[in-house]
Amino acid sequence: MLELYQAVDRVEAQMLKDYLDQQDIASVILGDLLSGAAGELPANIYPTLWVLEDDDLIRAKRLTEQFFSKPPVAGDPWRCTVCGESIDPGFEICWNCATPCSNDNE
Ligand SMILES: [Zn+2]
């Protein structure tokens, strides 16, 4: 079992865990469980997400990065009608010449 990510709160930890569950990565949240058992704990104990299978860690880290960046955008890249650049589907304007997407793909 390897430490993956220290969350700011229980909600964030649970959201990430659910996301990893969907990707077939088994994980467990530690840290916040202690708060019910002990009467007095430092306030700076954050829930930490651990990956159960060591082999999953690298993949889990990549998924975590994705999780906290923008959500993956479905679809194909579109081509700028002005300069011909291929633009990733997450962008609505051409990064090269700032032409808005023509929506040809939708
Ligand atoms: Zn362009």
Side-chain angles (χ1 to χ4, degrees):
M1 192 163 84
L2 293 171
E3 183 176 349
L4 173 66
Y5 178 77
Q6 185 181 66
V8 295
D9 59 27
R10 169 74 201 211
V11 173
E12 188 189 58
Q14 186 63 50
M15 281 171 52
L16 180 57
K17 183 182 187 306
D18 288 346
Y19 179 68
L20 293 177
D21 283 347
Q22 291 169 18
Q23 312 294 328
D24 291 323
I25 293 178
S27 60
V28 63
I29 300 168
L30 297 181
D32 66 327
L33 300 175
L34 297 170
S35 57
E40 211 169 309
L41 280 173
N44 62 350
I45 290 186
Y46 296 106
T48 308
L49 206 61
W50 292 71
V51 175
L52 293 185
E53 301 294 334
D54 294 4
D55 290 345
D56 284 339
L57 184 67
I58 292 174
R59 197 169 144 243
K61 282 192 167 174
R62 293 186 63 166
L63 289 166
T64 301
E65 287 173 13
Q66 282 179 25
F67 183 77
F68 290 109
S69 61
K70 64 188 171 86
V73 179
D76 298 320
W78 53 278
R79 192 164 292 279
C80 178
T81 53
V82 174
C83 70
E85 279 294 333
S86 178
I87 314 298
D88 287 337
F91 296 93
E92 290 174 358
I93 62 170
C94 173
W95 58 263
N96 191 39
C97 68
T99 302
C101 177
S102 61
N103 291 327
D104 284 348
N105 296 327
E106 293 179 10

